[in-house]
Amino acid sequence: GRQLWMTQSKVINPTSSFESELTGVRSAFGFLRIENASYFENFHLAIDKAGDFGSPGSRGCFIYGSEIRNCENSILNTCKFFNAYGNILEGNITSEGMGYSQWYRNNITADKAILQSPKLSCRLENNLFNKLNLEFYGTNKLSYSTCNTWMDASENIAFSGLEGVTLPNSWGGG
């Protein structure tokens, strides 16, 4: 299968303008791994990981110990397996579709992060959310959240359930 591994890579848009709508890296086939102090800066969208179209199975996306700075949107994920561990992420996040995702020990500064119908599970653990409203859409019954910290949440709302959301019973859902 096709794989893209980025280790200690720097991807910088020198124009520092979101108007160009440039994307730092886009992957629709195979495994995408970004790790070990890789760095993205000044993009409309830093990482776009699509659902591995045409592959017999999803290969996934793993982002470890890296930074995304000054981006309007840091991550757009529609693949089945997604893991973000120990990153600094500046920019809105969207993760949607039927899959598994894990967000662990990230420092996220954004207006919003959208988790839309993961159906399988989304795990949020030990993250620092700065100025972030975490939005849930659709079925999120298997999602799990523990030991996260919110600072300066947008309009004093840390998270919200929208458009027929179903949250775990432990979160007051049902």
Side-chain angles (χ1 to χ4, degrees), residues 6 9 13 21 24 29 38 41 43 57 59 78 82 87 108 110 113 116 122 138 145 148 150 158 173:
M6 300 178 76
S9 301
N13 175 6
E21 296 198 15
F29 299 98
S38 289
E41 183 177 19
F43 288 97
R59 303 293 186 251
T78 57
F82 183 88
N87 302 291
I108 301 172
Q116 184 169 341
C122 176
S145 178
N148 296 295
W150 273 266

Side-chain angles (χ1 to χ4, degrees), residues 28-44:
F29 299 98
F31 181 66
L32 174 62
R33 184 180 184 107
I34 299 168
E35 64 182 1
N36 296 344
S38 289
Y39 184 86
F40 292 80
E41 183 177 19
N42 299 331
F43 288 97
H44 169 72

Side-chain angles (χ1 to χ4, degrees), residues 90-156:
E90 292 178 359
N92 296 329
I93 295 169
T94 302
S95 185
E96 58 188 22
M98 191 168 86
Y100 302 93
S101 67
Q102 182 174 10
W103 304 81
Y104 183 69
R105 291 188 53 209
N106 297 289
N107 182 335
I108 301 172
T109 300
D111 291 329
K112 64 181 173 181
I114 298 172
L115 302 175
Q116 184 169 341
S117 295
K119 297 200 186 209
L120 300 177
S121 71
C122 176
R123 185 177 185 98
L124 303 161
E125 191 170 354
N126 294 320
N127 295 288
L128 173 61
F129 299 128
N130 189 18
K131 300 179 182 174
L132 176 73
N133 180 11
L134 190 55
E135 298 179 3
F136 294 92
Y137 293 81
T139 302
N140 283 269
K141 276 196 145 194
L142 300 177
S143 292
Y144 176 81
S145 178
T146 187
C147 299
N148 296 295
T149 302
W150 273 266
M151 295 178 59
D152 294 328
S154 302
E155 301 172 14
N156 298 319

